[in-house]
């Protein structure tokens, strides 16, 4: 089964050390490693004179869909809950997310968006209608899941709740309009609800009655979702027509609205080329700020199948080859960005439109969700931490192309930052990567060249390789951040790190690693995987640093 068909229907083992002389700390670390590290087998060159572009904070975005346990149980616990909350919103999640400086927060879907009427989530909660949730009939539901808001949407969480959540966490709202089952007029009136000045329109009055007199000033609007699949099963030409109709003459209340088109599924360049060509026939490229790309890492079969269900693996129990297969899929992001960008440039010659990777992450088979109401819920291990770091580094290296991105999804669904059920709550390894990497935001990405030995593994009895080290560097004044993932399961990579065109004054950092590559956090053991500070000894240029196997590292390099 193909994805399109589906849609239509640490306890860290320690850090390493900087400098050329090995201290006892390093010897201790090396003695823990399964194999001996090769000496300086890797070179990292950071070219401070070759800026790529400013890393948009919007890249650090999240995704909140009315799906399984994301909204109900994850974020929304209700105003009368004993679970600590801020007006019904889970407080522990707000506090933790805020710390990571979230970028765009996308809502209400996903596929759910094209079935959602925003009016259902407005007005007194007791009077809000109940409707069948888009995901009710999904084949992936765990056994014996009872009926509830996850199957029959109760609309207790609506637009004003989502926008309050954004305000409380510091995230920037990004709302996906319903293009498949509502009209353009309904979309305009949703914009009115969010943005029209107090007292000017009936939707503004409804907003005031919901407790929010002043406009929310929502800038980012998605025009449908996966319009090639659950969002209407359109051809690119049909969708281009709909896109023009939806984006023409939207009331803007003095703001420059940023519209995002529903882009391709992975490598579907045909969708991108044909949509851009059709849109440009009416010179409508100016009505688009971003072009959405979705890319999930899911197929760990090593080429045995492309079946959407058969190809998936388990989130917790995986052999070594599945580790490499999944991370290799994530590494495809690099070529996906380049390929779509090049096709967009054939028509959008000055590259006015940015890429918005508004769904990315790992997708495993069901079975590790923390509650049976959490459709598509899964655990997040060290493998997911690597996937997150590798992907964020890829976005940084394409800072001039990627305007925003959203990992799927925030809590209790796919590659989440949090798991939550009733009063239980834990941060995942993926959360820690977002936290470690946050300081890249607004910094200038600079060209970083990494050469290191590839990692070898057996892929269906055939030898295969993937690049072991992946990373990016950014500069903000004299503060440089270098982040690196080492995907190799057995070998540390001792690297010479040269910062070209600058002198190093001081270095510190943090590292996420675990003695067991399957390590993850649970409600019973919520701090099993956590970053550790890195000890720094000798400062010189080039630095020497040994990246532990299966780890994510951030080095904070202070320049003179
Ligand atoms: O994130 C889960 C689903 O995956 C989204 O609803 C949809 O857009 C995608 O196919």
């Amino acid at each position: 089964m193909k994805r399109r068909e589906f849609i239509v229907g640490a306890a860290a083992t320690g850090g390493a050390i900087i400098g050329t002389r090995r201290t006892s700390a390093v010897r201790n670390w090396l003695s823990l490693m399964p194999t001996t590290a090769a000496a300086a087998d890797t070179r990292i060159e950071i070219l401070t004179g070759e800026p790529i572009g400013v890393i948009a904070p919007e890249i650090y975005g999240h995704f909140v869909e009315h799906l399984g346990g994301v909204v109900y149980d994850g974020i929304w616990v209700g105003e009368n809950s004993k679970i600590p909350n801020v007006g019904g919103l889970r407080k522990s999640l707000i506090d933790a997310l805020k710390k990571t400086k979230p970028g765009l927060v996308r809502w209400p879907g996903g596929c759910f968006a094209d079935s959602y009427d925003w009016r259902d989530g407005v007005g007194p909660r007791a009077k809000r209608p109940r409707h069948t949730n888009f995901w009710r009939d999904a084949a992936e539901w765990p056994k014996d899941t009872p009926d509830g808001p996850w199957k029959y949407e109760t609309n207790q969480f609506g637009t004003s709740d989502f926008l309050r959540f954004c305000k409380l966490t510091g995230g920037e709202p990004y709302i996906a309009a319903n293009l498949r089952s509502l009209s353009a007029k309904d979309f305009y009136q949703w914009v009115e609800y969010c943005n029209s000045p107090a007292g000017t329109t009936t939707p503004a009055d409804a907003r005031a009655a919901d407790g929010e007199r002043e406009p929310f000033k929502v800038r980012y609007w998605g025009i449908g979702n996966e319009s090639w699949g659950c969002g209407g099963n359109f051809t690119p030409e049909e969708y281009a027509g709909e896109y023009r109709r939806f984006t023409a003459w939207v009331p803007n209340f003095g703001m420059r609205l940023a519209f995002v088109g529903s882009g391709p599924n992975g490598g579907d360049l045909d969708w991108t080329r044909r949509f851009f060509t059709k849109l440009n026939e009416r010179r409508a490229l100016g009505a688009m700020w971003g072009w959405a790309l979705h890319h999930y890492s899911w197929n760990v079969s090593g080429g045995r199948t492309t079946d959407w269900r058969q190809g998936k693996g388990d989130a917790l129990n995986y052999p070594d080859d599945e580790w490499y297969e999944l991370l290799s899929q994530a590494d495809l992001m690099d070529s996906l960005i380049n390929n779509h960008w090049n096709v967009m440039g054939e028509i959008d010659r000055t590259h006015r439109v940015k890429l918005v990777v508004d769904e990315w992450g790992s997708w495993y088979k069901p079975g590790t969700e923390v509650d049976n109401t959490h459709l598509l819920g899964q655990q997040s291990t060290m493998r997911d931490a690597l996937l997150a770091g590798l992907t964020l580094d890829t976005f940084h290296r394409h800072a001039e192309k990627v305007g925003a991105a959203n990992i799927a999804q925030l809590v209790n669904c796919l590659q989440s930052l949090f798991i939550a059920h009733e009063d239980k709550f834990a941060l995942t390894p993926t959360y820690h990567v977002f936290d470690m990497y946050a300081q890249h935001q607004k910094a200038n990405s600079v060209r970083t060249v990494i050469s290191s030995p590839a990692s070898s593994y057996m892929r269906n009895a055939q030898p295969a390789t993937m690049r072991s080290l992946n990373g990016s560097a950014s500069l903000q004044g004299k503060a440089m951040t270098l982040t690196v993932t080492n995907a190799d399961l057995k070998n540390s990579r001792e690297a010479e790190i040269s910062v070209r065109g600058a002198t190093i004054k001081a270095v510190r950092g943090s590292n996420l690693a675990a003695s067991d590559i399957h390590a993850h956090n649970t409600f019973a053991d919520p701090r099993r995987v956590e970053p550790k500070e890195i000890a720094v000894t000798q400062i010189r240029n080039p630095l020497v640093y040994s990246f532990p196997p299966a780890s994510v590292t951030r080095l904070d390099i202070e320049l003179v």
Side-chain angles (χ1 to χ4, degrees):
M1 185 186 232
K2 296 248 187 326
R3 195 165 109 78
R4 185 182 167 111
E5 290 163 28
F6 158 80
I7 292 306
V8 173
T13 46
I17 214 94
I18 293 174
T20 45
R21 201 163 47 88
R22 287 192 182 148
T23 65
S24 60
V26 167
R27 280 195 295 277
N28 288 344
W29 159 247
L30 291 175
S31 67
L32 288 172
M33 293 191 312
T35 62
T36 314
D41 53 10
T42 294
R43 283 188 171 64
I44 299 179
E45 279 196 89
I46 305 173
L47 306 164
T48 59
E50 296 193 35
I52 296 170
V54 173
I55 296 173
E58 288 79 10
I59 285 174
Y60 282 75
H62 302 282
F63 180 24
V64 172
E65 177 165 10
H66 288 244
L67 192 176
V70 181
V71 171
Y72 303 110
D73 206 15
I75 295 175
W76 180 256
V77 296
E79 290 147 313
N80 301 321
S81 172
K82 289 199 179 107
I83 302 165
N85 67 83
V86 185
L89 306 165
R90 188 185 286 273
K91 185 168 182 318
S92 47
L93 191 148
I94 291 171
D95 294 344
L97 182 60
K98 188 175 180 179
K99 183 168 172 277
T100 67
K101 303 198 184 106
L104 294 190
V105 187
R106 181 171 182 245
W107 174 83
C111 293
F112 176 84
D114 278 294
S115 68
Y116 180 62
D117 186 340
W118 64 271
R119 288 186 181 85
D120 294 345
V122 164
R125 283 186 221 287
K127 292 196 173 154
R128 294 187 187 173
R130 276 173 299 136
H131 288 296
T132 311
N133 183 290
F134 171 90
W135 292 98
R136 183 200 171 280
D137 297 323
E140 286 83 356
W141 278 109
K143 278 206 173 56
D144 307 323
T145 302
D147 287 340
W150 40 88
K151 288 193 177 171
Y152 296 97
E153 176 60 52
T154 55
N155 287 298
Q156 296 304 288
F157 181 94
T159 304
S160 63
D161 305 297
F162 167 66
L163 293 171
R164 263 191 315 119
F165 177 73
C166 289
K167 271 197 202 170
L168 289 164
T169 57
E172 179 87 29
Y174 168 26
I175 297 183
N178 178 344
L179 179 126
R180 171 169 59 79
S181 57
L182 286 185
S183 70
K185 183 176 169 197
D186 293 298
F187 168 48
Y188 303 158
Q189 293 183 350
W190 201 0
V191 177
E192 279 187 327
Y193 176 88
C194 295
N195 293 351
S196 62
T200 58
T201 65
T202 302
D205 294 346
R207 185 185 68 224
D210 285 339
E212 301 287 343
R213 189 172 181 280
E214 296 310 317
F216 286 108
K217 299 194 175 157
V218 177
R219 175 165 180 241
Y220 296 93
W221 294 89
I223 309 303
N225 167 75
E226 297 195 347
S227 301
W228 41 263
C230 63
N233 210 13
F234 293 110
T235 66
E237 291 78 16
E238 288 166 347
Y239 174 60
E242 292 296 311
Y243 182 92
R244 279 203 307 267
R245 210 155 56 77
F246 265 67
T247 55
W249 307 107
V250 183
N252 61 33
F253 306 106
M255 288 175 66
R256 214 186 148 92
L257 299 180
F259 298 127
V260 179
S262 168
N265 180 18
D268 186 358
L269 298 179
D270 191 53
W271 177 266
T272 295
R273 183 176 284 114
R274 285 170 54 189
F275 173 86
F276 269 68
T277 305
K278 190 71 188 170
L279 197 66
N280 199 35
E281 279 175 11
R282 304 287 297 178
R283 300 270 173 262
L285 281 175
M288 186 154 61
W289 176 81
W291 182 234
L293 162 68
H294 291 182
H295 173 56
Y296 286 100
S297 304
W298 59 274
N299 191 340
V300 290
S301 74
R304 277 192 300 271
T305 179
T306 54
D307 183 280
W308 175 245
R309 295 210 168 90
Q310 299 299 321
K312 295 208 188 81
D314 192 88
L316 290 177
N317 297 311
Y318 42 85
D320 289 1
D321 62 318
E322 291 191 11
W323 165 282
Y324 289 115
E325 283 296 308
L326 195 87
L327 295 179
S328 299
Q329 292 220 331
D331 207 12
L332 290 176
M333 186 66 83
D334 198 73
S335 58
L336 288 173
I337 292 171
N338 276 328
N339 294 344
H340 285 290
W341 187 252
N342 289 341
V343 170
M344 288 157 71
E346 291 169 9
I347 299 120
D348 177 22
R349 301 241 175 236
T350 56
H351 279 303
R352 294 146 60 144
V353 181
K354 298 283 175 207
L355 270 167
V356 175
V357 188
D358 63 13
E359 288 186 31
W360 66 269
S362 57
W363 192 324
Y364 306 112
K365 63 187 179 195
T368 62
E369 58 280 344
V370 295
D371 187 71
N372 71 353
T373 59
H374 296 182
L375 178 69
L376 307 186
Q378 62 190 34
Q379 259 294 1
S380 177
T381 67
M382 274 307 298
R383 178 172 59 167
D384 299 281
L386 269 281
L387 193 156
L390 188 154
T391 305
L392 291 171
D393 282 324
T394 306
F395 294 154
H396 301 160
R397 293 198 307 272
H398 294 286
E400 83 287 22
K401 308 181 186 88
V402 183
N406 306 76
I407 187 170
Q409 299 197 9
L410 182 66
V411 50
N412 292 337
C413 185
L414 302 177
Q415 189 171 348
S416 299
L417 275 75
F418 309 104
I419 47 171
H421 180 48
E422 297 173 344
D423 60 348
K424 298 186 278 300
F425 177 75
L427 312 176
T428 67
T430 297
Y431 171 88
H432 291 302
V433 174
F434 270 74
D435 197 26
M436 284 167 70
Y437 275 47
Q439 69 187 45
H440 274 295
Q441 296 184 19
K442 295 192 188 153
N444 218 320
S445 177
V446 290
R447 200 155 84 82
T448 305
V449 182
I450 301 180
S451 46
S452 79
S455 301
S456 308
Y457 66 103
M458 294 305 282
R459 185 179 202 246
N460 287 328
Q462 298 295 322
T465 57
M466 87 161 274
R467 60 175 160 155
S468 55
L469 243 56
N470 203 307
S472 68
S474 68
L475 194 55
Q476 210 160 17
K478 298 286 177 201
M480 169 171 285
T481 302
L482 170 68
T483 44
V484 173
T485 53
N486 179 8
D488 200 289
L489 284 172
K490 298 200 168 56
N491 301 298
S492 65
R493 294 285 179 228
E494 190 161 275
E496 272 189 13
I497 305 168
S498 308
V499 180
R500 300 280 184 222
T503 306
I504 299 172
K505 187 168 160 199
V507 184
R508 57 186 183 281
S510 67
N511 172 268
L512 192 68
S515 50
D516 176 1
I517 59 156
H518 308 96
H520 57 283
N521 296 333
T522 61
F523 296 140
D525 191 2
R527 301 189 58 183
R528 173 129 193 252
V529 183
E530 271 186 349
K532 295 275 183 285
E533 294 301 306
I534 291 171
V536 177
T537 52
Q538 293 189 19
I539 307 301
R540 55 168 63 185
N541 197 353
L543 294 164
V544 175
Y545 180 80
S546 184
F547 293 96
S551 67
V552 183
T553 302
R554 187 192 77 215
L555 297 181
D556 307 332
I557 305 173
E558 196 184 329
L559 304 176
V560 176

